């Protein structure tokens, strides 16, 4: 599992792009979002010579919000929810210790959680091993979230995907509403329903993930990174927002809740970008291209080049820029992992390090993601686990520390 948004970064894109494209990740305030600084990059906007005139006119006309703005509002909501329920959660934990198992952890509920654990161990082995370091309560909750996300993804990518309609996703969303109201449909829903009743988990990221599935039903091209970013948030960044309340922020952390959620979101974005770059050939065979159309054009590439699947110098140059951006998101995510509860860090570090190595594999394949599938071999996977464990033991950082008050 993954998750996480982004900060204020103005990276220099690969030279293959016709015009340098800058993307800033987190708005400080609405005024900054809508302002353009000729000495630096524009917050939450694409800035280039190509878009200069359009950006100027849209600023005057009060432009629609960018995808990052929309997502950041969700991040702020989740962070506020954690703050509001922190004290209430502490009281609930003390109450639960004095209650009988029959009230909250009956045999049926235990069975539901255990089944979620079995699914997790079958389809996410490395992550599952990492969850065993968590407290039993956190571990079970993470399993429940993982299973719901997997079932949601299977709706559009599973064996019955060809039969899925928008109405089916509407019904799935109705089931989600009901489980949040304490009326689960089946044992897997029961586990998640119990989880969201214990932790400050909001329904919005779950709804947003379903929205990502709707996009997959009707959309197969993304005109620019702003559109692609929103899709990545829907299908992967949401997982971080779901998981942080369960994994917990380290008591000794000086980071703000918003910054930790942002880091979690960035990991989800990074993972999804990595998936996209790994699966270019596979997606193309399904008629899908999850690459920014404007950046392809700037690199002198077209849909036809993707469908031909030929590795050229233009393609290599383009891919270098895409990989650089994915690594930028991984770098931002690392800052937040260190702020998680100590028992939750290892599985997240393991996921991050393993996914990051997929980008190395793409490079090792000479950027042939048309006919070769980049993967991390078992030897490298096992070698990464102690590295991840070592980083988890290092504890929190001061990179997100709040500034001292005067």
């Amino acid at each position: 599992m993954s998750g996480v948004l982004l900060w204020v970064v103005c990276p220099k894109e690969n030279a293959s792009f016709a015009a340098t494209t800058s993307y800033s990740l987190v708005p400080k305030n609405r005024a900054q979002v809508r302002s353009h600084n000729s000495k630096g990059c524009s917050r939450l906007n694409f800035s280039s010579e190509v878009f200069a005139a359009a950006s100027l006119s849209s600023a005057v006309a009060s432009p629609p919000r960018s995808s990052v703005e929309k997502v950041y509002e969700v991040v702020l909501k989740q962070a506020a929810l954690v703050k509001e329920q922190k004290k209430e959660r502490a009281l609930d934990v003390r109450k639960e210790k004095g209650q009988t198992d029959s009230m909250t952890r009956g045999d049926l509920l235990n069975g539901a959680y255990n089944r979620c654990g079995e699914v997790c161990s079958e389809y996410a082995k490395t992550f599952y091993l990492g969850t065993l370091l968590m407290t039993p309560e956190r571990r079970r909750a993470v399993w429940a979230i993982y299973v719901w996300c997997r079932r949601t993804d299977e709706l559009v990518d599973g064996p019955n995907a060809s039969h899925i309609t928008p109405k089916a996703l509407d019904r799935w969303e109705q089931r989600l509403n009901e489980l949040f109201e304490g009326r689960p449909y089946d044992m897997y829903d029961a586990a998640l329903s119990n989880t969201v009743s214990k932790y400050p988990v909001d329904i919005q990221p779950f709804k947003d993930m379903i929205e990502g599935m709707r996009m997959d039903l009707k959309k197969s091209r993304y005109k620019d990174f702003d559109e692609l970013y929103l899709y990545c948030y829907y299908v992967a960044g949401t997982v971080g927002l779901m998981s942080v309340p369960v994994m917990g922020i380290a008591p000794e952390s000086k980071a703000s809740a918003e910054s930790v959620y942002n880091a979690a979101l960035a990991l989800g974005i990074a993972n999804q970008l990595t998936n996209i770059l790994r699966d270019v050939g596979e997606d193309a065979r399904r008629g899908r291209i999850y690459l920014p159309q404007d950046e392809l054009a700037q690199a002198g590439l077209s849909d036809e080049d993707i469908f031909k699947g030929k590795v050229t110098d233009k393609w290599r140059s383009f891919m270098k820029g895409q990989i650089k951006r994915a690594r930028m998101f991984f770098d931002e995510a690392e800052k937040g992992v260190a702020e998680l509860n100590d028992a939750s860090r290892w599985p997240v570090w393991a996921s991050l390090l393993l996914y990051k190595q997929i980008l190395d594999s793409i490079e090792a394949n000479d950027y042939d993601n048309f006919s070769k599938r980049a993967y991390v071999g078992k030897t490298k996977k096992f070698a990464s686990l102690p590295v991840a464990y070592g980083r988890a033991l290092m504890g929190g950082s001061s990179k997100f520390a709040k500034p001292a008050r005067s």
Side-chain angles (χ1 to χ4, degrees), residues 122-226:
E122 181 178 354
Y123 295 101
K125 293 179 175 62
T126 301
F127 180 77
Y128 172 78
L129 291 175
T131 65
L132 298 181
L133 290 179
M134 297 179 180
T135 62
E137 184 183 25
R138 291 183 192 277
R139 168 195 318 157
R140 286 151 51 105
V142 167
W143 292 344
I145 292 173
Y146 170 84
V147 169
W148 185 87
C149 291
R150 181 171 183 82
R151 296 174 82 189
T152 302
D153 184 67
E154 286 287 299
L155 291 174
V156 297
D157 277 336
N160 297 316
S162 60
H163 303 294
I164 294 298
T165 65
K167 286 187 177 180
L169 291 176
D170 291 343
R171 289 194 295 271
W172 185 248
E173 185 168 353
Q174 182 56 40
R175 278 181 58 170
L176 174 69
N177 290 328
E178 291 171 357
L179 76 83
F180 263 82
E181 294 168 358
R183 296 182 287 118
Y185 181 80
D186 59 19
M187 65 186 301
Y188 299 112
D189 285 358
L192 183 59
S193 183
N194 183 253
T195 291
V196 301
S197 72
K198 292 181 176 182
Y199 294 93
V201 180
D202 187 63
I203 195 172
Q204 191 59 50
F206 294 84
K207 286 178 172 288
D208 286 345
M209 178 173 277
I210 296 174
E211 188 59 32
M213 303 304 113
R214 290 192 178 99
M215 288 180 73
D216 261 334
L217 290 183
K218 62 186 179 182
K219 195 174 181 69
S220 60
R221 301 290 188 279
Y222 294 83
K223 68 178 182 180
D224 52 32
F225 187 69
D226 189 63

Side-chain angles (χ1 to χ4, degrees), residues 323-338:
I323 289 174
K324 181 178 180 180
R325 177 160 53 204
R327 284 184 174 140
M328 177 193 75
F329 282 91
F330 277 121
D331 290 344
E332 296 299 337
E334 288 188 14
K335 300 173 186 177
V337 181

